[in-house]
């Protein structure tokens, strides 16, 4: 089934949801720990989590948390965090133009892809270590004990950027008993996955573990003109651990890991071919408008190479009723991209990015385990990170002809060069278009803690806090090489007009223009901005990469400094041994994000451009008065201010022998949500005034008979922009944010058939993930235009219905044979869409991954 709707959802959605509701009613429930967990056996309902920085059962944890065990990850063939969303309905993960451009979203809130200056609102922690960029969290999931997804602000427990939620990945510790796993899987598209893990003792108080994975797959899409594949898999990872326990009260865990991605990714399809398609064809290029053909036309194979490595040391020291924990980590991330960004076989423009991130973190906390009514956790977190980026745009040999055809005259630039006394053939000549050098240093310190007070058995009041001080220093520089972009067409006309008019003094500078009588200024501006008198002004849309005002400068210090106190108030009550309830109010915070892109511009007020971005007519402003302005300087943002979140939540967790459920009702708001949107020729970063969501999360498990487990989880989100007046498509206040489905469902059935007393068993699993029909966005700035004056009313939609399955025969001797399939019914849907790059009227997007399937052999020893 394909999902490319442009209208409202049909009756199919309601039929599906009605059926899902019937299933939910028939399945009284348990935690979204999905089935089983390492600490408990197959038949146990006890799930151990550390969501509150303490080991507790899931039922005891008064937080909306979904837990996926390592066993489920193996059974469902969940390879990475992209697959994780199929079993966690509140989580959405989107991979866009490269493997490293991935966004995590919880309850409709999330950002951070495609710009390393923007930290994600969803914090990712692996073994307690913060991964500050999504590219550092994309390794294949190997040797996993469990994954906890904490919904809503978590700033009182995590020291860095958890305004929307947390993904916490917990790997297996080394064991003192020798053992391990080796696995080989082969599937369609020549998919080959090899993974293994081994653990055992070195001495009576030292244990080790080693694990690794190799994941290779042919591309499922084809670059037709190059006869090359795209959207492939080619990645590997390795990790080593040491567990040292010199005394019963002291535990030291050391981890070192390395992962590498070297892939041609990702498939971009054309959804609407605009008027520019004719110009693409005229220069010998092509587009494929069958969105799900998985065919594309590019002039080069995209490259994305990600090197991600680091190490950590965790020390846990028990001192009486106190536990002191220290986690020290250092990580490096290197991300290289080289791709055709016009997404056609015409050689128009390509981009290179070379990014590097060095991160040091230190967490120190102390937790109590007193018998009395009071317990506490107190911690501190230090974060020190440096980011560098060298990037560039390069125009190809077809660029000049392509843009000339868009202007309506193949020789237009020859005439412009003659009029402006530029070298013939210089405008959009093949070669460098821009070059950028960006750097950012981020230092943050936070102190956090909680106090639990239990005045009566089963009744616990909790107060928590976090104080964060975050400083960022950034420097941005760019060189713009296109000759046309370096000339303001209004100012050039004014100079030409005054030179040609003996009655007027020649105007070559702003000071000379400002000295003219006001009436003369207005006459010159009226003529300069009128296409009838200044034909060059029609070429201003082609000046999309103008000169850049570097910073820091005397007006813009290139610095942010944010601090915030956030807190948590919660009451939890154990109604009975089976039922717990809680109510909470929490606030969250994420510091300012920096626009590390060539689209960074001074804020309006720091600079005020004149009509047509004229510098001559620019009124007084700090940038102008300081003599810093460059030709065609516009305004925008250098950074977006902090996000401030709050959430009211009511929850109930019930667990009986064989079934149970978790239910959370919430009302969550983020003020100043950091919105980062593509506008067709650049990116806009700004703060939405306020975005809110109310809803519920239900997850459940039932074990009706031995060996049979059903799970059902549903998330309902009623989201809206309470205030967003400055979006790229106009005022969105009161509207539902695009891309947030109303309903998300994840359900599964797992049956384990045991063959008598042989020890052999057959495990069969089927799961289904659904997202209700939703507008992918609130409109595209170029294709749709502003809400108040739509050029095209088509808003593209997405609905997902994914069925996954596996069947694994597990023998008593440790050998396992299995088959698996993901997206079994080959559901087709649009991941997201965007304006065609420098192609007005064209809409491009990312199609979903097709069905994959295969077999596996696994051996446990």
């Amino acid at each position: 089934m394909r999902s490319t709707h442009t209208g409202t959802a049909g009756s199919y959605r309601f039929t599906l949801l009605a059926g899902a509701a019937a299933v939910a009613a028939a399945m009284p429930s348990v935690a979204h720990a999905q089935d089983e967990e390492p600490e408990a056996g197959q038949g146990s309902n006890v799930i151990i989590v550390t969501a509150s920085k303490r080991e507790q059962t899931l039922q005891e944890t008064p937080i909306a948390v979904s837990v996926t065990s390592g066993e489920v990850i193996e059974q469902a063939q969940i390879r990475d965090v992209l697959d994780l969303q199929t079993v966690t309905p509140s989580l959405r993960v989107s991979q866009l133009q490269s493997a490293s451009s991935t966004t995590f979203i919880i309850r409709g809130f999330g950002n951070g892809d495609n710009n390393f200056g923007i930290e994600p609102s969803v914090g990712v922690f692996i073994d307690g270590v913060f991964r500050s960029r999504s590219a550092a969290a994309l390794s294949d999931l190997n040797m996993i004990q469990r994954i906890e997804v904490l919904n809503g602000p978590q700033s009182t427990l995590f020291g860095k950027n958890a305004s929307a939620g947390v993904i916490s990945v917990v790997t297996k510790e080394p064991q003192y008993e020798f053992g391990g796993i080796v696995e080989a899987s082969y599937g369609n598209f020549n998919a080959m996955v090899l993974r293994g893990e081994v653990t055992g003792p070195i001495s009576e108080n030292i244990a080790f573990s080693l694990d690794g994975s190799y994941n290779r797959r042919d591309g499922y899409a084809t670059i037709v003109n190059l006869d090359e594949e795209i959207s492939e898999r080619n990645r590997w990872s390795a990790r080593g651990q040491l567990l040292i326990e010199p005394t019963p009260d002291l535990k030291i865990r050391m981890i070192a890991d390395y992962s590498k991605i070297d892939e041609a990714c990702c498939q971009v399809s054309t959804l609407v071919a605009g008027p520019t398609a004719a110009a693409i064809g005229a220069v010998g290029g092509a587009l494929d408008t069958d969105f799900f053909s998985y065919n594309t036309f590019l002039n080069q194979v995209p490259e994305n190479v990600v090197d991600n490595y680091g190490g950590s040391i965790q020390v846990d020291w028990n001192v009486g009723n106190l536990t002191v924990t220290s986690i020290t980590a250092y990580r490096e991330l290197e991300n290289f991209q080289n791709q055709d960004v016009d997404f056609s076989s015409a050689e128009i423009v390509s981009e290179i990015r070379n990014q590097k991130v060095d991160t040091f973190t230190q967490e120190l906390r102390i937790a109590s385990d007193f018998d009395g009514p009071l317990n506490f956790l107190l911690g501190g977190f230090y974060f020190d990170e440096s980011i560098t980026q060298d990037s560039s745009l390069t125009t190809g040999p077809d660029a000049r002809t392509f843009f000339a055809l868009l202007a309506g005259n193949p020789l237009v630039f020859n005439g412009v060069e003659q009029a402006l006394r530029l070298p013939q053939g210089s405008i959009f000549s093949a070669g460098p278009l821009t070059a950028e050098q960006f750097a950012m240093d981020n230092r943050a310190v936070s102190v956090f803690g909680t106090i639990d007070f239990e005045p009566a058995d089963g009744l616990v009041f909790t107060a928590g806090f976090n104080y964060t001080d975050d400083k960022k220093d950034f420097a941005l520089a760019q060189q713009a090489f296109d000759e046309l972009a370096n000339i303001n067409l209004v100012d050039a006309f004014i100079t030409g007009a005054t030179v040609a008019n003996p009655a007027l003094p020649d105007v070559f500078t702003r000071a000379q223009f400002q000295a003219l009588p006001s009436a003369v200024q207005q006459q010159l501006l009226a003529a300069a901005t009128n296409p009838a008198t200044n034909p060059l002004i029609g070429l201003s849309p082609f000046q999309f990469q103008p000169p850049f005002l570097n910073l820091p400068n005397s007006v813009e210090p290139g610095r942010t400094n944010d601090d915030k106190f956030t807190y948590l108030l919660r009451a939890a009550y154990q109604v009975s041994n089976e039922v717990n309830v809680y109510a909470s109010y929490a606030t969250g915070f994420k510091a300012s994000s920096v626009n590390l892109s060539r689209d960074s511009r001074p804020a309006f007020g720091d600079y005020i451009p004149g009509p047509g971005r004229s510098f001559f007519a620019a009124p007084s402003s700090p940038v102008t008065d300081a003599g810093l302005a460059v030709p065609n300087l516009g305004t925008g943002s250098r950074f977006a201010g902090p996000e401030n979140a709050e959430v009211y939540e009511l929850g109930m967790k019930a667990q009986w022998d064989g079934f149970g459920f978790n239910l959370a009702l919430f009302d969550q708001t983020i003020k100043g949500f950091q919105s980062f949107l593509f506008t067709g020729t650049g990116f806009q970063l700004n703060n939405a005034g306020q975005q809110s969501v109310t809803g519920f999360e239900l997850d459940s498990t039932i074990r009706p008979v031995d060996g049979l487990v059903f799970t059902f989880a549903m998330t309902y989100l009623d989201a809206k922009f309470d205030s967003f007046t400055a979006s790229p498509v106009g005022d969105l206040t009161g509207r539902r944010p695009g891309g947030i489905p109303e309903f998300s469902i994840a359900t599964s059935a797992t049956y384990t058939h045991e063959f008598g007393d042989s020890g052999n068993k057959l495990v069969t699993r089927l799961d289904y993930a659904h997202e209700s029909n939703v507008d992918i966005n609130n409109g595209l700035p170029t294709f749709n235009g502003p809400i108040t004056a739509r050029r095209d009313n088509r808003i593209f939609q997405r609905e997902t219905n994914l069925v996954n399955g596996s069947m694994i025969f597990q023998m008593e001797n440790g050998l396992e044979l299995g088959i698996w399939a993901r997206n079994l019914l080959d559901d087709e849907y649009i991941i997201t869409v965007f304006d065609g790059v420098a192609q007005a009227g064209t809409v491009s997007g990312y199609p979903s991954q097709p069905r994959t399937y295969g077999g596996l052999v696994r051996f446990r020893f």
Side-chain angles (χ1 to χ4, degrees):
M1 189 187 86
R2 294 189 176 185
S3 175
T4 58
H5 310 293
T6 57
T8 58
S11 60
Y12 170 75
R13 184 186 77 169
F14 298 101
T15 302
L16 176 64
L17 294 178
V23 173
M27 286 203 274
S29 356
V30 108
H32 192 51
Q34 289 289 340
D35 301 336
E36 292 79 41
E37 53 293 331
E39 292 86 346
Q42 169 100 1
S44 173
N45 291 330
V46 178
I47 299 164
I48 303 299
V49 298
T50 53
S52 60
K53 295 292 181 80
R54 307 171 184 266
E55 286 198 350
Q56 295 177 295
T57 68
L58 185 60
Q59 184 185 355
E60 293 171 337
T61 305
I63 298 173
V65 54
S66 301
V67 184
T68 305
S69 69
E71 185 173 7
V72 169
I73 288 171
E74 285 187 352
Q75 290 175 353
Q77 287 295 293
I78 295 173
R79 297 294 185 194
D80 53 33
V81 288
L82 289 172
D83 296 333
L84 185 64
Q85 62 188 321
T86 61
V87 294
T88 309
S90 289
L91 172 67
R92 177 167 179 79
V93 185
S94 295
Q95 180 175 285
L96 303 181
Q97 77 267 29
S98 67
S100 58
S101 298
T102 301
T103 303
F104 304 116
I105 299 169
I106 292 178
R107 291 181 176 172
F109 297 108
N111 52 23
D113 70 288
N114 213 36
N115 189 319
F116 271 25
I118 303 175
E119 297 179 64
S121 300
V122 175
V124 179
F125 293 77
I126 299 180
D127 290 321
V129 176
F130 179 53
R131 301 293 180 95
S132 66
R133 298 298 181 275
S134 60
L138 297 177
S139 300
D140 284 0
L141 299 176
N142 198 34
M143 206 172 173
I144 300 299
Q145 181 170 321
R146 65 181 180 274
I147 299 177
E148 303 172 7
V149 177
L150 286 65
N151 305 327
Q154 305 295 331
S155 297
T156 59
L157 289 170
F158 294 86
K160 187 69 171 162
N161 289 1
S163 59
V166 163
I167 301 171
S168 177
V169 179
V170 181
T171 65
K172 301 174 187 176
E173 284 189 352
Q175 302 296 306
Y176 288 98
E177 182 177 349
F178 183 78
I181 301 172
V182 291
E183 178 184 312
S185 174
Y186 183 81
N188 60 331
F189 302 111
N190 287 319
M192 180 185 297
V193 177
L194 304 174
R195 72 178 192 93
E197 57 188 69
V198 61
T199 186
I202 295 177
S203 67
E204 64 179 11
N205 56 8
I206 301 176
F208 80 97
S209 68
L210 296 171
D211 69 271
S213 67
Y214 173 71
N215 187 343
R216 192 204 66 77
R217 185 196 67 208
D218 293 345
Y220 58 76
T222 301
I223 305 174
V224 176
N225 56 300
L226 300 180
D227 194 25
E228 295 280 357
E229 293 176 343
I230 191 175
S231 291
E232 64 178 11
R233 275 284 185 269
N234 185 21
R235 54 184 64 178
W236 64 272
S237 64
R239 175 173 45 215
Q241 299 189 56
L242 279 179
L243 180 65
I244 305 172
E245 298 178 287
T247 72
D249 295 321
L250 181 62
K251 180 171 73 173
I252 303 169
R253 186 183 183 189
M254 307 170 67
I255 304 174
D257 67 272
Y258 181 92
S259 66
K260 187 179 185 68
I261 297 173
D262 186 358
E263 296 174 352
C265 192
C266 297
Q267 167 70 9
V268 173
S269 296
T270 302
L271 196 58
V272 177
T276 58
I280 294 283
V283 297
L287 299 170
D288 189 317
T289 56
D290 183 350
F291 193 80
F292 292 105
S293 69
Y294 299 104
N295 288 329
T296 190
F297 291 84
L298 302 171
N299 60 58
Q300 66 181 74
V301 179
E303 298 177 69
N304 186 201
V305 180
V306 182
D307 290 281
N308 176 32
Y309 49 93
S312 65
I313 301 175
Q314 177 171 339
V315 179
D316 295 290
W317 181 31
N318 295 322
V319 185
N321 292 323
L322 300 177
T323 300
V324 179
T325 298
S326 169
I327 304 176
T328 307
Y330 176 77
R331 302 203 59 80
E332 293 192 8
L333 170 67
E334 298 174 7
N335 181 48
F336 175 79
Q337 298 180 49
N338 182 6
Q339 64 183 148
D340 172 6
V341 292
D342 60 80
F343 303 111
S344 76
S345 55
E347 295 188 55
I348 300 173
V349 62
S350 61
E351 180 185 33
I352 289 177
R353 292 188 197 180
N354 201 345
Q355 300 163 309
K356 192 174 190 304
V357 183
D358 296 340
T359 308
F360 173 80
T361 58
Q362 173 64 57
E363 181 174 346
L364 182 65
R365 63 180 188 264
I366 181 171
S368 69
D369 187 17
F370 299 137
D371 293 332
L374 284 175
N375 274 288
F376 72 90
L377 181 148
L378 181 66
F381 181 79
Y382 175 72
F383 178 86
D384 188 346
E385 181 171 82
S386 64
I387 298 174
T388 59
Q389 174 177 320
D390 294 320
S391 55
S392 63
L393 291 175
T394 301
T395 44
D398 296 330
R400 180 180 173 92
T401 303
F402 171 74
F403 289 121
L405 290 172
L406 294 187
N409 180 353
L411 300 177
V412 63
F413 294 131
N414 299 86
V416 173
E417 288 158 350
Q418 184 175 0
L420 298 178
R421 298 181 181 180
L422 298 173
Q424 285 293 309
S426 60
I427 296 176
F428 289 122
S429 59
L433 180 63
T434 68
E436 299 86 32
Q437 304 83 39
F438 304 143
M440 183 176 79
D441 291 324
N442 182 195
R443 291 178 178 85
V445 177
S446 65
V447 180
F448 59 92
T450 59
I451 296 177
D452 295 329
F453 174 55
E454 188 174 6
D457 286 346
L459 178 62
V460 179
F461 295 102
T462 300
F465 78 97
N466 180 302
Y467 174 76
T468 295
D469 184 41
D470 185 284
K471 296 181 176 66
K472 293 183 174 74
D473 295 283
F474 50 96
L476 291 80
Q478 186 209 51
Q479 300 79 47
F481 301 111
D482 181 57
E483 286 79 359
L484 180 63
N486 279 274
I487 297 174
N488 182 267
L489 300 175
V490 172
D491 294 348
F493 177 87
I494 291 172
T495 296
T498 56
V499 169
N501 188 342
L504 294 175
D506 296 348
V507 174
F508 294 98
T509 67
R510 178 178 180 273
Q512 292 171 332
F513 178 79
Q514 296 286 329
L516 295 174
S518 177
V520 175
Q521 292 182 31
Q522 296 306 313
Q523 290 173 357
L524 286 170
L525 283 173
T529 56
N530 186 345
T533 51
N534 181 11
L536 294 181
I537 199 67
L539 297 178
S540 58
F542 297 101
Q543 298 177 305
F544 50 83
Q545 293 300 331
F548 186 90
L549 177 57
N550 297 345
L551 82 158
N553 54 57
S554 59
V555 174
E556 302 172 294
R559 181 180 305 116
T560 64
N561 190 350
D562 307 308
D563 69 296
K564 186 71 174 181
F565 180 85
T566 57
Y567 59 94
L568 161 73
L569 298 173
R570 183 174 61 222
Y573 181 59
Q574 184 177 344
V575 179
S576 67
N577 290 334
E578 295 80 21
V579 179
N580 292 52
V581 295
Y582 68 91
S584 66
Y585 172 76
T587 61
F589 169 73
K590 189 181 91 164
S592 298
S593 285
V594 177
N595 193 358
L596 291 185
S597 82
R598 61 182 65 90
D599 306 300
S600 174
R601 299 285 184 270
F604 185 83
D606 285 345
Y607 179 66
I608 305 173
R613 296 187 295 187
S614 167
F615 176 61
F616 287 178
S620 175
S621 68
V623 167
T624 297
D625 298 344
L628 297 173
V630 295
N632 291 312
L633 181 62
T635 59
S637 68
R638 299 295 198 179
F639 60 89
E643 292 180 355
N644 293 285
E646 67 172 4
V647 60
Y648 296 87
E649 189 165 298
L650 295 173
M652 180 177 182
K653 300 192 174 189
Q655 178 70 66
W656 292 274
D657 185 18
F659 70 94
F661 70 88
N662 293 340
L663 176 66
L665 311 176
F666 56 86
D667 184 347
Q668 185 171 332
T669 300
I670 290 186
K671 296 179 181 178
F673 180 73
Q674 295 166 358
S675 172
F676 186 64
L677 300 173
F678 184 63
T679 62
T681 55
F683 288 90
Q684 179 173 320
L685 173 66
N686 55 8
N687 291 100
Q690 181 170 298
Q691 181 178 334
S692 64
V693 61
T694 57
F696 68 81
E697 293 159 338
L698 169 70
D699 53 66
S700 57
T701 301
I702 183 170
R703 295 173 169 84
V705 296
D706 288 345
L708 181 61
V709 180
F710 293 108
T711 70
F712 179 83
M714 172 188 286
T715 296
Y716 167 77
L717 301 175
D718 182 12
K720 71 174 180 177
F721 286 118
D722 301 294
S723 173
F724 193 7
T725 59
S727 87
V729 293
D731 188 356
L732 294 176
T733 302
R735 295 178 180 267
R736 184 182 183 90
I740 302 176
E742 188 175 16
F743 287 95
S744 298
I745 296 171
T747 184
S748 72
T750 304
Y751 179 64
T752 303
H753 176 73
E754 297 189 3
F755 294 88
D757 297 327
S758 66
N760 300 332
K761 55 187 176 180
L762 181 67
V763 181
T764 304
R765 177 185 171 91
L766 193 67
D767 63 67
Y768 168 66
H770 167 73
E771 287 185 356
S772 60
N773 198 29
V774 63
D775 290 347
I776 292 174
N777 52 37
N778 294 100
L780 298 172
T782 303
F783 179 73
N784 299 112
I787 288 175
T788 54
R790 289 292 199 202
R791 287 186 286 271
D792 195 302
N793 289 318
R794 283 176 288 177
I795 302 295
F796 299 97
Q797 298 182 320
R798 174 184 65 239
E799 177 179 322
T800 66
N801 294 283
L802 297 175
V803 177
N804 308 305
S806 66
M807 183 179 291
I808 302 174
F809 180 55
Q810 300 177 345
M811 304 182 198
E812 189 273 338
N813 62 6
L815 182 64
E816 301 180 8
L817 304 174
I819 56 175
W820 56 269
R822 297 194 63 80
N823 192 11
L824 183 63
L825 302 183
D826 206 19
D827 187 36
E828 295 176 335
Y829 56 91
I830 305 169
I831 296 174
T832 193
V833 296
F834 58 93
D835 279 314
V837 179
Q839 299 173 57
T842 290
V843 179
S844 302
Y846 301 96
S848 57
Q849 181 174 303
R851 173 173 48 227
T852 56
Y853 53 86
L856 66 87
V857 179
R858 182 185 298 138
F859 181 66
R860 302 179 189 272
F861 58 91

